[in-house]
Amino acid sequence: MLDTLIQLNLMLHDGDAVHQMLKQMKNILANIGVHEPYLDAFLEHVGNVYLLLGNKEEALYCYNRSVAVQESLSGENSPELVGSLLALAGVYTEPEEREKGKAIYNRIIHILEGSKGEACEELGAPLLHLGYISLEENNPEEAEVHIRRALNIAEQNKGKGGSIGVATCGLARIKYAKGDHDKAAELYHSGLDILRKSGLWATGDIALESVKMEAAEFFSVVGRTKEAQDLWEEVLHEKERSIGVNSPRLVVHLQNLATSYAQDGKFERCEPLLRRSLKLLTTSLGPTAPQVSIPLEFLATTLHHLGQNLEAESLARQCLNIREKNFPDDHLLIGEASNILASVLHANSRNDEALNLAWRALHIKEKHLGKNNKQLAFVLDLLLDIMDDLGKTKEVKPVLDRLDALLGGSSMIAP
């Protein structure tokens, strides 16, 4: 009953109720013996909830205990361990934790090969994860060995559950890492088509959603924006069907699509997506939550590009105010908000305030990015425009010299 209530309250975004019930569930599970039916499954499920809430320590405790329960009942090489071991390995996502994750994935492979054979379809998941870790370690050759084996196994088993599509997209990641963008695009299209035909495309499976988002990001990064936008739209519509049009979980997908449109200069198409994103987060978290500053920043920037600078100024001020109340004075997010507000104020001929904010943005970004980072060029260019409008000719030369040095003597492109 608690497990069901936890899931319902997660759907209702009632974090306080979820934490209270998790505490109660933890107390109950602590007093249950290893032979209690489904104890391992409950522990794994509770671990999933803790991980969803960002509590890795509690998630690790639950996963490790689930594994220990299964080991005591079935032995250390039982295939019954695979689900919990996969969940446990998935917690180790930081660079310094990779070896722990690799050790667990290799253990899973050893268990499955010994119990079900070297062509067992379940080998696909740990092999793919090992391949992705190898990519993170800048070892695409080793990654390709793991992912090609996963693909071969999926093909031998006729790709039940879309596994051929997932492995094909994994191979696309390797081609991308090796710089073969055309082959990567071809493999992504092939893998995505297989997934569409598998019947699993619209199921809401998190792993498949991750594959789709990864493909969309690839198309976006390599400049194939139309393909990226088509995929972001497809992902958004599938999420709307699966979780409803008013779920705050749509925000990331709305912002991904808006960002892709912005890359193409289609700011008029960004605006409704960002307004919807802002409304969903404000309704869910309240108007002063730090997360609300993200769509405020994006929407203010979009309206600035559309020439709607009065509303852009109001939104940019809200963004900066929220961040000043939630982050240290020299936080990079405050630097970004100061930069945006300065740009909008300059457009509204409020140059004295704009100048102070632009200097503030520059100092914060210098601290975080370094004084020779080319990202500073946009702030320096803004400073030059503002000082020019204010007639501060004596202050222009050192800023201009620094901008030229930063860009190697090339002229600045207007942001």
Side-chain angles (χ1 to χ4, degrees), residues 12 20 52 103 123 175-176 220 278 358:
L12 293 169
Q20 184 178 354
L52 181 66
L123 285 166
K175 297 301 180 184
Y176 175 37
S220 182
L278 177 59

Side-chain angles (χ1 to χ4, degrees), residues 63-290:
Y63 292 147
N64 276 310
R65 189 174 169 212
S66 176
V67 170
V69 168
Q70 292 177 68
E71 286 175 336
S72 68
L73 296 174
S74 306
E76 294 186 353
N77 293 312
S78 169
E80 299 295 325
L81 293 167
V82 168
S84 292
L85 287 172
L86 281 171
L88 178 59
V91 181
Y92 296 117
T93 56
E94 300 300 323
E96 65 272 14
E97 299 172 332
R98 286 176 188 150
E99 290 304 317
K100 292 181 180 179
K102 287 167 68 174
I104 296 172
Y105 289 127
N106 280 312
R107 180 183 175 189
I108 294 169
I109 291 170
H110 175 76
I111 290 171
L112 290 172
E113 287 177 339
S115 60
K116 298 187 177 183
E118 294 187 354
C120 162
E121 188 174 14
E122 292 169 75
L123 285 166
L127 285 168
L128 285 171
H129 284 297
L130 281 177
Y132 298 151
I133 291 173
S134 295
L135 277 178
E136 291 167 1
E137 294 177 332
N138 297 315
N139 191 345
E141 302 301 331
E142 181 179 291
E144 186 163 0
V145 171
H146 294 307
I147 292 178
R148 281 201 179 277
R149 184 183 174 197
L151 179 58
N152 291 337
I153 289 172
E155 289 172 339
Q156 288 177 45
N157 287 277
K158 304 190 185 300
K160 298 174 185 177
S163 54
I164 293 177
V166 173
T168 301
C169 288
L171 197 56
R173 282 181 66 173
I174 293 170
K175 297 301 180 184
Y176 175 37
K178 290 183 173 182
D180 190 347
H181 295 173
D182 290 338
K183 186 62 178 179
E186 178 188 327
L187 287 166
Y188 269 126
H189 280 304
S190 176
L192 293 171
D193 285 342
I194 292 169
L195 288 171
R196 287 187 184 94
K197 295 171 184 176
S198 71
L200 294 175
W201 185 260
T203 60
D205 183 277
I206 293 176
L208 293 183
E209 181 182 314
S210 177
V211 170
K212 301 172 200 175
M213 293 176 69
E214 169 200 300
E217 287 169 3
F218 160 76
F219 288 121
S220 182
V221 168
V222 300
R224 301 174 68 145
T225 53
K226 179 62 169 62
E227 291 158 282
Q229 288 159 17
D230 289 345
L231 194 49
W232 286 131
E233 286 182 2
E234 195 171 358
V235 171
L236 174 61
H237 295 326
E238 292 295 348
K239 291 300 287 185
E240 287 174 332
R241 282 192 283 271
S242 65
I243 63 177
V245 296
N246 294 316
S247 172
R249 288 161 56 196
L250 290 174
V251 168
V252 65
H253 304 290
L254 290 164
Q255 291 178 353
N256 283 335
L257 181 55
T259 300
S260 186
Y261 283 140
Q263 286 180 317
D264 244 4
K266 299 176 181 176
F267 293 104
E268 71 286 350
R269 301 194 70 174
C270 298
E271 183 182 351
L273 295 167
L274 294 172
R275 289 192 186 280
R276 186 178 167 196
S277 174
L278 177 59
K279 182 178 179 180
L280 288 174
L281 274 185
T282 301
T283 302
S284 173
L285 302 175
T288 60

Side-chain angles (χ1 to χ4, degrees), residues 359-374:
W359 280 118
R360 183 186 185 189
L362 178 64
H363 295 324
I364 292 174
K365 291 189 174 189
E366 283 176 337
K367 177 179 177 180
H368 290 275
L369 305 176
K371 292 192 175 184
N372 296 317
N373 191 298
K374 290 193 175 183

Side-chain angles (χ1 to χ4, degrees), residues 4-50:
T4 302
L5 287 169
I6 287 170
Q7 296 306 313
L8 287 170
N9 280 282
L10 279 171
M11 294 172 67
L12 293 169
H13 309 288
D14 189 342
D16 291 338
V18 170
H19 284 292
Q20 184 178 354
M21 290 176 190
L22 280 173
K23 188 181 294 185
Q24 188 177 355
M25 175 77 93
K26 186 178 177 181
N27 290 335
I28 292 171
L29 294 176
N31 295 304
I32 293 178
V34 295
H35 294 285
E36 184 73 22
Y38 309 117
L39 173 60
D40 56 323
F42 275 115
L43 285 164
E44 186 178 329
H45 202 182
V46 172
N48 293 341
V49 175
Y50 275 124

